[in-house]
Amino acid sequence: MSQLAEVIGTIADTITLYGTIWVLLGTGVYLTWRTRAMQLRLFKHMAAVVFRSRQGAHGGISSFQAFCISLAARVGVGNVFGVAAALLAGGPGAIFWMWIVALVGMATAFSEATLAQLFKVRADDGTFRGGPAYYMKRGMNAPVLGAIFAVITVVTCAFVITTVQSNAIASTMAGSADTSPVMTAALLFAFAAPVILGGIRSVARVTELMAPIMALIYVAMAAVIVVMNITEFPRVIGMIFQSAFAPAPLVGGLGGGIIAAIINGIQRGLFSNEAGQGTAPNAAATATVTHPVRQGLIQSLGVFIDTIIVCTATAFIILVAGPEVWGAEGINPATLTTAAVAHALGEWAIVPMAIVIFVLAFSSIIAAYVYSEVNMVFVTPHRAGVWAVRILSVFSVVLGALVSLDVVWNAVDIAMAVMTMTNLVALIALSKWVVGALGDYETQRANGVTEPVFRPQDNTHLPAPLPGNAFDDLPLQH
């Protein structure tokens, strides 16, 4: 199994170094330019939009619920295990490259969420479906490319990502509560099956409360540790910047070197914040909003929260713990963050950390299910396909608790790279739609409209007539 993990890891690193890095960063820079650095210009407005996003769903899924579904997938084991893995393999400099991915990725996330809203469709139950497969088909007139992306997403989200999340839970439970993988698998089944089998509305209700609360608890714990060690902050930041461009590892017990830092920072950054990957737009499309740009702004802020705030806090906790923690015998990505928290707060923190990781990873599992179901509906409208995804997701939850961590982590890197490269092609091709929607939104705000309403008919900002009627029932401007 270790040899298989090594082979998969080599393939993943090669794809990242020679493909994903350049396309991901290049697309992010391009979209930042096309949107006139919206992530900087509209940052304050993003927060205001989030606070007003619980209303206006009209019986559907609110903008805030859709944000929470995607936040549930973002703020998860990527912030805990992913950061630890990046540090162990890439050194402190990996965090710098995670920041870069996030900063340009905010424009990428904005673009893909806006496109998901523009080209979404209404389902039979009144909710909306959308995402990359839909905007490839309806925006690019490329149904085959959309179908390919949809199949990749179903496999990646219903199987690979779900397996990673449940594996993370099993590793944490084994290390903190001495729980056997079989018991963890049974517990996960008992929690996951009712929610997943209940469908997307059930997921929205659960994640609306669960994801933000657990994320806040983890951030609060991290904030306490940061305050306790605030004098160390300049040293840690300096370590991150110095290591980001160092030719060799700078600190004992951690990896490093510029190549290792870049590869691990981008891989773990992408897994954590998902910007450009094409998963979060599936959640963004489900929201009932008055303007596509509103959801784009909300999803963009989610990238900032995930990486710049939560991942940085995790990195700080680990780095201030010192070599006695990160260089300890038997330490690995599954145990490093919990060990660092316990080092700062005491052994009592192990159990709360286990609970936080369990809930964060569980919320990511059910969010991944949403992504897979949306794309299965794109592939086939038959209910049998939907139930196949639900059953596969539940099966993967159980399986993930019993397999090798290295294998699943490396497999998810390859799966995400393929998804990302496919999605980024569409983002570049459809960027004119993003620019048009943003122009419409900002023009309305400049004219004194506090809540812009999107009217696709005869909209001079759009490059062409928008297909479908997803925005036909919107209220009048006010």
Side-chain angles (χ1 to χ4, degrees):
M1 190 67 74
S2 61
Q3 289 181 332
L4 175 62
E6 184 176 348
V7 171
I8 295 175
T10 300
I11 296 172
D13 289 349
T14 301
I15 293 173
T16 300
L17 183 59
Y18 296 105
T20 312
I21 287 175
W22 307 109
V23 179
L24 185 66
L25 295 181
T27 302
V29 170
Y30 174 74
L31 294 173
T32 297
W33 170 68
R34 289 299 308 269
T35 60
R36 295 178 293 121
M38 54 71 53
Q39 64 267 56
L40 302 179
R41 293 190 302 108
L42 301 175
F43 184 81
K44 182 179 179 181
H45 181 59
M46 289 181 196
V49 171
V50 169
F51 286 120
R52 298 197 304 266
S53 63
R54 288 180 62 91
Q55 291 81 31
H58 304 292
I61 293 174
S62 73
S63 185
F64 184 75
Q65 286 178 323
F67 169 70
C68 289
I69 291 174
S70 60
L71 186 67
R74 284 192 173 114
V75 182
V77 298
N79 302 89
V80 181
F81 290 13
V83 173
L87 287 171
L88 288 173
I95 306 304
F96 172 84
W97 296 104
M98 291 181 76
W99 292 341
I100 297 300
V101 168
L103 289 175
V104 300
M106 290 177 71
T108 308
F110 168 79
S111 298
E112 59 185 359
T114 300
L115 288 173
Q117 277 287 325
L118 281 169
F119 296 103
K120 67 185 180 182
V121 298
R122 192 183 296 273
D124 293 337
D125 62 357
T127 61
F128 293 106
R129 300 286 187 271
Y134 291 82
Y135 55 69
M136 288 172 190
K137 177 182 178 180
R138 306 181 75 223
M140 296 176 64
N141 194 27
V144 174
L145 183 63
I148 292 172
F149 182 88
V151 171
I152 295 171
T153 303
V154 169
V155 174
T156 301
C157 294
F159 184 74
V160 181
I161 291 179
T162 303
T163 303
V164 168
Q165 303 290 348
S166 62
N167 188 279
I169 293 174
S171 300
T172 301
M173 296 291 286
S176 60
D178 197 26
T179 305
S180 71
V182 174
M183 288 188 62
T184 301
L187 185 64
L188 284 170
F189 176 83
F191 276 99
V195 178
I196 291 176
L197 298 179
I200 290 179
R201 287 184 186 272
S202 173
V203 170
R205 288 191 295 269
V206 172
T207 55
E208 181 180 21
L209 296 176
M210 186 167 61
I213 289 173
M214 284 301 106
L216 285 173
I217 290 174
Y218 179 68
V219 169
M221 294 176 69
V224 169
I225 298 174
V226 170
V227 172
M228 290 171 56
N229 299 274
I230 195 64
T231 57
E232 292 290 302
F233 194 76
R235 182 182 68 83
V236 170
I237 297 299
M239 188 189 306
I240 290 172
F241 276 94
Q242 185 181 7
S243 178
F245 303 98
L250 296 182
V251 291
L254 296 179
I258 185 169
I259 300 300
I262 291 173
I263 289 176
N264 287 278
I266 290 180
Q267 283 180 338
R268 300 297 159 237
L270 177 60
F271 180 74
S272 178
N273 64 51
E274 302 184 35
Q277 181 181 318
T279 47
N282 294 283
T286 65
T288 302
V289 294
T290 55
H291 201 289
V293 166
R294 283 178 56 86
Q295 199 63 30
L297 294 171
I298 289 172
Q299 298 302 120
S300 182
L301 185 64
V303 173
F304 181 88
I305 293 171
D306 172 89
T307 304
I308 306 300
I309 295 179
V310 183
C311 286
T312 300
T314 300
F316 182 87
I317 292 170
I318 294 172
L319 291 174
V320 298
E324 62 182 283
V325 173
W326 71 56
E329 183 178 355
I331 206 73
N332 58 61
T335 58
L336 177 55
T337 303
T338 299
V341 171
H343 178 268
L345 299 179
E347 295 297 316
W348 67 267
I350 292 177
V351 173
M353 271 297 293
I355 295 173
V356 168
I357 292 172
F358 182 97
V359 176
L360 288 177
F362 180 76
S363 63
S364 296
I365 286 171
I366 57 179
Y369 146 71
V370 171
Y371 302 156
S372 57
E373 177 170 319
V374 167
N375 282 274
M376 177 57 79
V377 171
F378 180 89
V379 174
T380 173
H382 297 297
R383 293 292 295 173
V386 171
W387 278 101
V389 164
R390 294 178 182 179
I391 293 170
L392 177 60
S393 297
V394 174
F395 170 76
S396 301
V397 168
V398 176
L399 180 66
L402 308 173
V403 298
S404 165
L405 181 66
D406 291 338
V407 170
V408 294
W409 268 109
N410 293 336
V412 82
D413 287 334
I414 295 175
M416 289 193 307
V418 174
M419 287 179 63
T420 302
M421 300 282 275
T422 308
N423 182 48
L424 293 179
V425 170
L427 294 186
I428 293 173
L430 297 172
S431 59
K432 57 187 177 182
W433 286 92
V434 177
V435 174
L438 180 59
D440 177 66
Y441 185 85
E442 293 197 281
T443 297
Q444 291 188 48
R445 291 190 66 224
N447 290 334
V449 180
T450 56
E451 296 288 347
V453 175
F454 183 64
R455 299 295 180 191
Q457 296 84 6
D458 301 320
N459 191 318
T460 58
H461 293 277
L462 300 180
L466 183 69
N469 60 350
F471 291 92
D472 284 356
D473 299 327
L474 292 177
L476 296 175
Q477 293 178 337
H478 61 283

